[in-house]
Amino acid sequence: MNPLLEVEQLTGGYSRQKPVLHDISFTVHPGEMIGLIGLNGAGKSTTIKHILGLMKPHSGTVRLSGIQLEDNAGAYRRTYAYVPETPLLYEELTVKEHLEMAAMAYGLSPTDFEGRAPQLLEQFQMTAYANRLSAHLSKGMKQKVMIMSAFLVQPSLYIIDEPFLGLDPLGIRSLLELMASVKRSGAAILISSHILSTIERYGDRYVVLHNGRLKAYGDVDALRLQAKLPGGSLDDVFCTLVTQDGGHP
């Protein structure tokens, strides 16, 4: 099966004189969840920005369904939906209007919208707030709007950055159930999170970044082998990997 996302020898950052990322390579295939993990400053957000097309690589390539951004920007961007760590909403739009805007941006039919939106609102306990302006929502509610907008349009790839921050326990459960569901349907998920115990239960493979470089890549067993921690949790394995060779986190 061809990869949905290909990151190949990616070097990039804000300055060519001082790149943040150095020769990063990994793939994401349909139907799998990849955890992008690393300490603060490891390069996770910079990697995501390159995938989103917000930053141009210094060298290397990023492809979605075999397409580079410069080949067909519209087709490239329709492949994914992005849930940022900090929710970004229009204060004068209601919850439902944000969902309608996402549907229009991705060309979702009115029939599909009417079939999916009420279900998502109920799943995230947001039905009663459908007509509330986003300016009057809590941070957790705003995060739910971002998540619902992404899952409404059902892209091939979900790029999700620290989604659990601010969510209540029911919201976290709803998100995890949705991620498991879209994986079964053949969609792919790239998720960045510090809550390793949670993504260990749902992830297939992991990209471990450290100081802008690929420290480890593979499933939990492959990471355990590299860390020399047979049977270790992802949390323990990660901490060992980023402190190996006497280095500092």
Side-chain angles (χ1 to χ4, degrees), residues 96-246:
K96 186 177 181 182
E97 286 169 341
H98 277 94
L99 296 179
E100 290 171 341
M101 185 171 62
M104 287 189 291
Y106 283 80
L108 199 66
S109 72
T111 300
D112 285 338
F113 177 82
E114 293 300 331
R116 299 173 191 174
Q119 183 178 352
L120 285 166
L121 287 165
E122 181 178 356
Q123 191 166 4
F124 282 92
Q125 302 83 43
M126 290 291 287
T127 303
Y129 305 98
N131 294 312
R132 179 173 292 190
L133 294 175
S134 68
H136 302 147
L137 299 177
S138 69
K139 181 182 177 182
M141 289 180 177
K142 291 178 181 179
Q143 185 73 350
K144 289 180 180 181
V145 175
M146 299 296 293
I147 292 168
M148 290 188 296
S149 297
F151 282 87
L152 172 72
V153 300
Q154 296 185 357
S156 300
L157 173 65
Y158 296 81
I159 302 173
I160 307 177
D161 191 4
E162 293 293 350
F164 307 117
L165 300 178
L167 286 184
D168 56 48
L170 285 178
I172 292 173
R173 175 179 289 186
S174 295
L175 174 58
L176 291 172
E177 289 173 352
L178 268 177
M179 289 195 295
S181 175
V182 299
K183 268 187 61 179
R184 290 193 296 269
S185 73
I189 300 169
L190 177 67
I191 181 171
S192 174
S193 177
H194 291 301
I195 307 178
L196 302 187
S197 59
T198 297
I199 64 171
E200 181 177 7
R201 295 200 303 270
Y202 293 85
D204 298 293
R205 292 183 293 131
Y206 305 91
V207 177
V208 181
L209 295 182
H210 190 54
N211 294 330
R213 300 182 185 276
L214 188 65
K215 183 68 176 181
Y217 174 44
D219 59 17
V220 173
D221 286 336
L223 269 56
R224 286 170 177 156
L225 184 64
Q226 183 169 331
K228 300 179 181 178
L229 277 182
S233 67
L234 180 61
D235 190 272
D236 289 339
V237 166
F238 170 76
C239 291
T240 297
L241 287 171
V242 298
T243 56
Q244 277 179 340
D245 306 320

Side-chain angles (χ1 to χ4, degrees), residues 45-86:
S45 294
T46 305
T47 300
I48 288 174
K49 287 177 181 176
H50 279 286
I51 295 170
L52 296 176
L54 300 177
M55 300 179 72
K56 187 175 182 179
H58 300 169
S59 62
T61 57
V62 179
R63 294 184 180 89
L64 283 172
S65 297
I67 300 172
Q68 294 187 62
L69 179 66
E70 53 267 30
D71 296 334
N72 188 330
Y76 183 98
R77 291 197 167 98
R78 282 193 295 273
T79 304
Y80 68 79
Y82 172 51
V83 180
E85 177 181 357
T86 302

